[in-house]
Amino acid sequence: MIMRIAISSDNHLDVNQIDPHWAVNQQADWLVSHRIDQYYHLGDLFNNFQRTQAYVHELQQRVGGLIKIRYLAGNHDLISGIREESLEKLADPLYFHNSYFDVPQTDWRLIGINGWYDYTFSPYQVDRVKVAHWKRVYWIDGGIPQRETDQARLARQINDLDEQLQAASQDKKKVILLTHFVPTVELVPPMPSQFNRARQIEFWNMLWAMLGSQRFGEKLATSAIVKRVVFGHLHGQPPVLKVGGVNYYNAAVGVKRRYREWQMPTFMAQWEKRLIVWEL
């Protein structure tokens, strides 16, 4: 039995000014016509969790029992519509955080972990207070309700990942990890050469502080069972990168109005181009 898996991230339907009902029908028709068995979205559908959740459930209803739809939460989804404590205890069968799926008749296991960031991609990691202040003042994530530090939030994600990997190892599984945030520092692009003013350099390093966590990457590097990782959050068109024994794939659609984030003229063409499809 061959199972066809499709994975996307960072559709940003509201920011891209895409009508969600139109997008549901377009994506559902594509998934059905291409005989997809499972479709995963890795976060950042809307700037509101309730809209993200409603969209995913509408898509599931639209494809019926032919396809299983699953989703993770990115930072944009968490800006409004849910609180942190509710996210951790969410009773939603389509929500894939801290969950897994075993592909029948194979030794593949898909694991979902939202992820987060702890500033370890940035030279400012040594000044957490400064980064946290910049985030509150300048960055969209500053509006996300959060009772704990970013480091504490990331630590919970690491713990969830560790428990999932231990269970997969005991079950003798090969792992495909699905996450929203950038999972290892090797994926972070270098600072543009034209950034030579102090404010430009500060902005770049602050931004990179909130991409992901090298602690996450170190955990993956020490696990011999993780073979593929799919992530989002980083827009553009980064190539597949192999680090150690792990292949890293970026599935982000991105935002059309930003420079060079889209390679195609329409949303559906861009979604299809960035879509990752595997037969397992």
Side-chain angles (χ1 to χ4, degrees), residues 8-24:
S8 184
S9 188
D10 296 73
N11 285 193
H12 290 288
L13 296 178
D14 46 0
V15 180
N16 283 318
Q17 300 181 335
I18 304 299
D19 177 73
H21 299 296
W22 175 87
V24 160

Side-chain angles (χ1 to χ4, degrees), residues 53-74:
Q53 190 175 37
Y55 183 91
V56 172
H57 279 262
E58 185 178 351
L59 182 59
Q60 180 67 84
Q61 185 177 26
R62 176 68 173 72
V63 299
L66 295 174
I67 303 168
K68 289 186 177 180
I69 310 296
R70 299 292 183 266
Y71 71 107
L72 298 176

Side-chain angles (χ1 to χ4, degrees), residues 227-273:
K227 304 301 180 183
R228 306 178 193 176
V229 177
V230 188
F231 66 101
H233 196 48
L234 183 65
H235 298 177
Q237 197 176 9
V240 178
L241 180 68
K242 187 168 187 177
V243 180
V246 183
N247 286 312
Y248 291 87
Y249 302 80
N250 182 283
V253 169
V255 176
K256 182 177 182 179
R257 69 171 183 260
R258 294 178 186 164
Y259 182 60
R260 290 184 177 178
E261 285 198 5
W262 278 25
Q263 300 81 47
M264 304 300 288
T266 67
F267 172 77
M268 279 303 296
Q270 177 71 6
W271 176 78
E272 185 175 350
K273 179 177 178 61

Side-chain angles (χ1 to χ4, degrees), residues 4-11 27 30-31 36 38-43 70-72 96 110-111 176-180 228-232 249-253 270-280:
R4 289 173 60 82
I5 308 290
I7 308 166
S8 184
S9 188
D10 296 73
N11 285 193
Q27 291 183 342
W30 192 97
L31 294 170
I36 301 300
Q38 297 202 351
Y39 174 64
Y40 294 85
H41 191 277
L42 307 188
R70 299 292 183 266
Y71 71 107
L72 298 176
F96 198 57
L110 282 75
I111 296 175
I176 298 173
L177 177 69
L178 308 181
T179 187
H180 177 73
R228 306 178 193 176
V229 177
V230 188
F231 66 101
Y249 302 80
N250 182 283
V253 169
Q270 177 71 6
W271 176 78
E272 185 175 350
K273 179 177 178 61
R274 302 294 298 140
L275 195 67
I276 292 171
V277 178
W278 287 324
E279 292 187 348
L280 301 173

Side-chain angles (χ1 to χ4, degrees), residues 44-58:
D44 286 5
L45 264 173
F46 294 94
N47 288 359
N48 178 285
F49 187 82
Q50 292 178 2
R51 293 189 71 189
T52 291
Q53 190 175 37
Y55 183 91
V56 172
H57 279 262
E58 185 178 351

Side-chain angles (χ1 to χ4, degrees), residues 162-183:
D162 189 51
E163 291 180 354
Q164 288 285 350
L165 292 181
Q166 287 186 34
S169 180
Q170 291 173 359
D171 293 340
K172 296 180 171 53
K173 297 294 184 179
K174 296 186 302 184
V175 169
I176 298 173
L177 177 69
L178 308 181
T179 187
H180 177 73
F181 294 87
V182 180

Side-chain angles (χ1 to χ4, degrees), residues 72-108:
L72 298 176
N75 54 314
H76 277 256
D77 304 296
L78 306 182
I79 291 169
S80 62
I82 197 167
R83 300 194 67 84
E84 179 185 347
E85 55 270 25
S86 300
L87 186 70
E88 294 300 316
K89 303 174 183 177
L90 190 63
D92 182 350
L94 307 190
Y95 184 53
F96 198 57
H97 170 65
N98 203 16
S99 299
Y100 69 86
F101 170 76
D102 288 339
V103 180
Q105 301 176 27
T106 76
D107 56 358
W108 284 110

